[in-house]
Amino acid sequence: MAIAGRLENEKDYAFADRLLERALAAAPDQPDALHLSGIVAFRLGRRDEALTKIEHAIARGIDIRLYLRNISEVYRALGRFDDALNAALRATAMAPDDPVCLHNLAVIQYHRLELDDCIASAEKALTINAFLPGPHFQLAEALLLRGEWERGWNEYQWRFDLPGNAPLMPPTTQPRWDGTPFDEGTLLLVADQGFGDVIQFSRYIPWAAERCPNIAVASASEMIPLLRQVYPKAQLFNEWRYAPPFRAFRALSGLPALHGTRPDHLPGHVPYLRADPARAALWKERLNRLTPTASRRIGLVWAGRPTHNNDRWRSASLAEFAPLAALPGVALVSLQKGPAAAQAGQYFGAAPLVNIGAEIVDYEDTMAILESLDLLVTVDTSVGHIAGAMGRKVLILLARAPDWRWLLDRTDTPWYPSVTLVRQTTTGVWNDVMAKAAELVRSTFRQ
């Protein structure tokens, strides 16, 4: 057991899995082996097996606080939020001074949109251990989702300390920028987090440049053409060996805290991204050939990156977009990339579907295509951010417990004036969202 536990901590899940299977072959009802085997199965993506084993361990264990704490996360991942809450409440009742139990409870309460309870649980965890990054980050998400951005931004900085997160940058003795202007030396900004975040927070680069004119930005290569539009004077690079000497650094997502961003106080103007005219003309010509004359073109993206930690809840399927496919006088244009793009092969809707996802080489292609669409309908992905930053009309379809940036209950967003938000009322159920989206499309095209 000790060896398997160490392997699980070291993320050698395959080896731990084999050892635990041997242990369970000899003692199939041993609670600790069942529990740890369930954790390993969960890490390997075998969630149903994980649930069965940990439930078996709880039924046979004596001190089950740890089992309950962990099974609550398995229930949450499976969408069984009532069971997750009950398990987490039992765990905190048995171990009221365990801040990890309270953090797990806060995560579940966030997904249930019980934000007062989520904040209370995270704050209680921090009274026990003020330096745990998990409760700080969960507190940040809940505060930001509620629009309490002044306090939320401060808590948001704890995300860099979350276990398993890659370091922001190589070790440095240079300070993190505190917003103080300087003319001599370079301010290094790091385009951290996902592509959607980079697009959203890139609007702060000109604001930072007003205080520190010499800007360098470390970014994934996919983002460099977009960042060049936002601030052409910046030195952009995608490998640390090309980093220039710098006086201070800051994560791109850390700039809102320095700016003092509130929902009614954002820097910059939209649009701040534009398609290349020549590339847009080529794509327009191609789409003119592929779609019926006089049809309204609706771009679709139904799934995000599968490795995203919330992908199960933010992504839908092409089949669930059927109400849009039933609209008269429209042509659907798939911008979907990745494994979910294969669903286009099973499409049988009334509206024609043009599947060009495989032809999209980069985000410059994406922007060029968006110029030729009447509307984009997408789940919460980077393509929605690009359309919003371009000022293009877009419906973004949100899970019931959305990412914090979309706030609560609103159909608009301060980040992108051209975006309309359509929200789930039941977790994991897209029917009402798609019906509402179809009605919004009808009303948009009637105008």
Side-chain angles (χ1 to χ4, degrees):
M1 283 293 297
I3 295 173
R6 177 172 56 79
L7 291 168
E8 192 271 332
N9 286 331
E10 295 172 354
K11 299 184 180 181
D12 191 348
Y13 302 131
F15 194 6
D17 193 38
R18 292 195 296 272
L19 286 181
L20 288 163
E21 285 305 310
R22 291 178 186 175
L24 288 171
D29 294 329
Q30 210 287 322
D32 289 340
L34 282 165
H35 170 254
L36 185 54
S37 183
I39 295 299
V40 170
F42 182 75
R43 303 293 188 207
L44 292 170
R46 306 194 310 257
R47 292 173 175 172
D48 291 330
E49 176 188 336
L51 182 63
T52 299
K53 286 181 173 177
I54 302 177
E55 284 181 336
H56 195 174
I58 290 171
R60 285 154 178 77
I62 298 174
D63 184 3
I64 61 171
R65 291 174 295 175
L66 179 62
Y67 303 171
L68 288 167
R69 192 179 81 186
N70 289 333
I71 203 171
S72 67
E73 173 59 18
V74 178
Y75 282 131
R76 185 183 71 83
L78 290 169
R80 293 173 55 174
F81 294 112
D82 289 343
D83 290 327
L85 180 65
N86 290 335
L89 289 171
R90 286 180 65 193
T92 54
M94 297 176 72
D97 295 326
D98 183 344
V100 179
C101 283
L102 288 161
H103 172 226
N104 277 15
L105 177 59
V107 172
I108 292 160
Q109 289 163 331
Y110 180 94
H111 281 268
R112 294 169 61 89
L113 290 185
E114 296 167 353
L115 297 184
D116 288 343
D117 292 337
C118 170
I119 290 169
S121 296
E123 289 177 332
K124 186 175 180 181
L126 294 172
T127 64
I128 300 167
N129 185 340
F131 300 101
L132 274 181
H136 277 291
F137 183 66
Q138 194 57 61
L139 183 58
E141 290 196 301
L143 291 168
L144 292 169
L145 183 61
R146 291 210 308 196
E148 298 175 32
W149 285 5
E150 182 176 359
R151 184 184 174 200
W153 293 128
N154 292 329
E155 296 291 342
Y156 196 57
Q157 304 310 308
W158 284 85
R159 69 196 178 281
F160 299 115
D161 298 320
L162 291 170
N165 273 10
L168 178 67
M169 56 191 293
T172 179
T173 58
Q174 297 301 90
R176 189 173 70 166
W177 188 49
D178 62 3
T180 303
F182 59 80
D183 292 326
E184 298 297 325
T186 296
L187 172 62
L188 172 63
L189 300 176
V190 183
D192 59 320
Q193 306 194 112
F195 291 157
D197 300 84
V198 174
I199 295 160
Q200 178 182 355
F201 295 128
S202 67
R203 68 188 297 157
Y204 288 86
I205 297 176
W207 174 85
E210 292 173 2
R211 288 146 184 83
C212 306
N214 300 315
I215 296 284
V217 184
S219 169
S221 58
E222 293 91 337
M223 290 286 102
I224 285 178
L226 282 66
L227 295 173
R228 188 173 291 118
Q229 286 194 35
V230 176
Y231 191 67
K233 295 180 182 179
Q235 179 177 341
L236 305 170
F237 64 94
N238 68 336
E239 295 184 30
W240 286 110
R241 58 181 170 158
Y242 300 128
F246 58 94
R247 179 169 170 176
F249 71 93
R250 188 83 181 191
L252 205 59
S253 62
L255 295 179
L258 296 182
H259 172 264
T261 300
R262 304 184 308 270
D264 62 348
H265 176 55
L266 276 76
H269 302 282
V270 178
Y272 54 90
L273 292 180
R274 293 170 178 82
D276 173 71
R279 201 183 293 213
L282 289 173
W283 274 108
K284 182 176 183 179
E285 180 184 358
R286 175 151 174 72
L287 289 173
N288 284 342
R289 294 198 308 268
L290 293 173
T291 56
T293 304
S295 63
R296 300 291 194 119
R297 298 182 188 131
I298 303 176
L300 298 184
V301 181
W302 55 87
R305 175 171 48 87
T307 54
H308 188 280
N309 59 10
N310 199 43
D311 191 65
R312 172 173 182 158
W313 307 117
R314 69 167 181 165
S315 290
S317 67
L318 175 57
E320 287 168 308
F321 281 70
L324 293 173
L327 294 174
V330 305
L332 306 179
V333 179
S334 170
L335 284 73
Q336 183 66 52
K337 302 285 286 182
Q343 296 174 28
Q346 287 79 49
Y347 173 79
F348 298 103
L353 174 68
V354 177
N355 182 17
I356 56 173
E359 300 177 43
I360 300 173
V361 175
D362 51 29
Y363 281 121
E364 291 180 287
D365 271 343
T366 301
M367 290 191 290
I369 293 164
L370 289 170
E371 284 285 355
S372 291
L373 301 180
D374 296 286
L375 179 70
L376 173 70
V377 182
T378 177
V379 295
D380 185 3
T381 68
S382 60
V383 181
H385 285 273
I386 288 176
M390 293 175 65
R392 305 295 299 176
K393 288 184 178 180
V394 52
L395 305 183
I396 297 182
L397 315 179
L398 298 178
R400 182 174 178 272
D403 193 89
W404 63 264
R405 74 199 73 229
W406 306 121
L407 298 168
L408 288 171
D409 302 324
R410 297 175 60 147
T411 58
D412 67 335
T413 169
W415 299 102
Y416 308 116
S418 64
V419 165
T420 299
L421 304 175
V422 190
R423 300 172 182 268
Q424 279 184 350
T425 57
T426 303
T427 300
V429 177
W430 291 103
N431 293 350
D432 55 341
V433 180
M434 300 303 176
K436 177 64 174 176
E439 182 54 40
L440 287 170
V441 173
R442 284 192 196 94
S443 63
T444 298
F445 290 166
R446 281 198 297 264
Q447 295 173 3

